Amino acid sequence: MPGMNMPGSPSGTGAPAAPVTGNAVAIQNFAFSPATLKVKAGTTVTWTNQDTDAHTVTSAGSGGPLHSAALVTHATYSYTFTKPGTYAYLCTIHPFMTATVEVTP
């Protein structure tokens, strides 16, 4: 039944979250969710700011492909990952907000 914790289903164990697959990242409560997204090359990922504060999606380090403008509430930013690799990013306004996209062939 919905909302019930059935035997064998995941529970809050405090273990680090495994990479999540999909193509959407929510920016909410000053965090990127999921913190690690796993996609196949050719996938377009879209970030949506659900906070009232503005945030950016910017590659960590120099030369990375992610460079959004400041995203106001409900604004989105999309990027198509064409090459396999691990792409670390952050919010330049709030540098403690970090996350990763893992791109597989």
Side-chain angles (χ1 to χ4, degrees):
M1 292 189 166
M4 291 183 64
N5 191 7
M6 304 300 288
S9 66
S11 61
T13 61
V20 174
T21 59
N23 66 347
V25 177
I27 305 170
Q28 189 172 25
N29 298 322
F30 290 85
F32 295 105
S33 181
T36 301
L37 181 69
K38 189 173 230 175
V39 301
K40 290 195 175 296
T43 301
T44 299
V45 175
T46 300
W47 289 260
T48 303
N49 184 9
Q50 298 175 358
D51 277 344
T52 54
D53 286 54
H55 297 291
T56 70
V57 177
T58 307
S59 292
S62 61
L66 303 174
H67 300 287
S68 78
L71 303 174
V72 297
T73 304
H74 304 300
T76 62
Y77 171 71
S78 296
Y79 180 80
T80 302
F81 291 90
T82 58
K83 295 180 181 175
T86 300
Y87 297 83
Y89 64 93
L90 54 83
C91 170
T92 57
I93 302 168
H94 309 98
F96 60 87
M97 293 174 56
T98 61
T100 306
V101 176
E102 295 177 2
V103 182
T104 59

